[in-house]
Amino acid sequence: MTRTTYAKALAEAFRVALAEDERVFMAGEDIGIYGGAFGVTDGLLDEFGPKRILDTPISEEVIAGLAVGAAIVGQRPIVEMQFSDFIVNAMDPIVNQAAKLHFMYGGQVSVPMIIRGPGGGGTGAAAQHSQSLEAWFAHVPGLKVVTPATAQDVHDLLLASLLDPDPVVFLEHKLLYKVEEDVEFRSSIADTPAQLGQALVRREGGDCSIVAYSIMVPRALEAAEVLAEEGIDVEVVDLRTLRPMDTTTIRSSVKKTGRLVTAQEAPVPVSIGAEVAACVAGSDALDYLLAPIQRVGSLDVPMPYAKTLETATIPQTGDIVDAARRVMKD
C-alpha cells in the first residue's frame, strides 16, 4: 500500500497503461509541458515522450475527433478535457460518432477510448467550470460513464476502462484530487479488480440506504457517522459506474433497509437520482419501502460564483443527514 492522493493514483494508472500497451496515448490541452490544468499528467511527457503525450490545440471537438479515429484503427486513446464542462464542445464526435459507430457498422467497428475530465463545483469556478453533466452522457446508448469516489477506485477503474471495448466518459471530481488514502497500485492493466457496472457497499447498515457517487460518497459516509450517533444505522452504496448501473446492489440494499436516499451533486430534476429511484420503483424492491424516497442534489440553478451562494447550492453533509432523518420519520 502507498499513501497517495487521488490525482497521483490516477497518474500511476496512466503510467501502468502507457508502459504496458504501446497503443495507449494521451491527448489534451496543456497535458504535456504544463502537466494538465490540475497537474494530473505532470511528468508524463518526460517519461513517455511527445508521441505518447500530445499537447493539442484549444479545440475539444478536434481532441475527441482524433480519439475516435485513432480508436477505430486500433489505438487506445485517453483524452483530457481541462474541465468536463468543455465536453459540450465535443458532443458530435462523442455522442454521434463514438457512441454509435459500433452499432451502425454491425459490430465490425469498436471505439475503445476514454474521455476524462474534472467536474463538479466547490472551487469558486462559477457556472461554466463547475457543472456535473454525468446524466447527459449516461442517457446515450453506447457510452459508459464512470465516477470514481476514492483514490483506489480512480486507479482501478481507469485500468478497467481500458479493458472495455466501448467509449468511456470518466469523470473525476476536482475536490477529490488532493484527498489522500492508502492505495494498492496494480502492476498491469489486467490486474485491476474493478469492473464497470459494479457498485460497492461502502458501509453496511440496516435502517436506511444512501446511494451516492463521486464526491457525495465521502459526504454520505460523514452523514452516516452523524446519524449513527442518533441511533440510525445507514448503509452507503457507491455506484462507481453510472452506465451500466448496478441495479442489483441498489435493490438488495433497499430490500434490507426499507428506506432510500439518493445523493448527487448535480441538480435534482431529470438526474441519476431519478434513475436510481426508478430502478427501485420498477422492481419488487418497491414492496419493501417503508417511506417515500428522498433525493438530495444541487439547487436547480447555474452554479453561482459567490462562495456563500455556491456552498448553499451544492448539497453538503448536513443535507444528506436531513434527508435521512425525513425518511426515518415515516
Side-chain angles (χ1 to χ4, degrees), residues 210 212 216-217 219-221 223-224 227 261-263 296 315-325:
I210 300 177
M216 298 308 286
V217 173
R219 290 178 187 166
L221 291 169
L227 293 159
V261 174
T262 69
V296 176
Q316 307 297 324
T317 299
D319 298 301
I320 302 173
V321 170
D322 290 343
R325 287 172 178 159

Side-chain angles (χ1 to χ4, degrees), residues 251 254-255 258-259 279-291:
R251 291 165 179 160
V254 170
K255 287 180 179 179
R259 296 176 175 86
C279 96
V280 171
S283 73
D284 62 346
L286 176 67
D287 297 331
Y288 292 78
L289 282 179
L290 301 172

Side-chain angles (χ1 to χ4, degrees), residues 126-128 130-131 267 298-306 309-310 313-314:
Q128 297 169 326
S130 304
Q131 297 174 91
S298 282
L299 300 180
D300 192 20
V301 295
M303 192 65 69
Y305 171 72
L309 294 177
E310 182 190 45
T313 298
I314 298 171

Side-chain angles (χ1 to χ4, degrees), residues 25 33 38 55 58 67 77 112 159 187 190 199 211 242 249 256 269 286 293 302 306 309 318:
F25 71 91
I33 295 173
F38 292 87
D55 276 324
I58 303 174
L159 298 177
S187 57
V211 177
L242 306 183
T249 297
K256 175 183 174 184
L286 176 67
I293 297 167
L309 294 177

Side-chain angles (χ1 to χ4, degrees), residues 55-75:
D55 276 324
T56 67
I58 303 174
S59 175
E60 288 76 18
E61 186 173 15
V62 167
I63 297 167
L66 78 83
V68 173
I72 289 173
V73 297
Q75 302 300 299

Side-chain angles (χ1 to χ4, degrees), residues 201-208 221 224 233-236 256-257:
V201 175
R202 296 285 183 189
R203 185 185 193 279
E204 297 274 357
D207 293 331
C208 172
L221 291 169
D233 190 20
V234 169
E235 180 153 299
V236 177
K256 175 183 174 184
T257 66

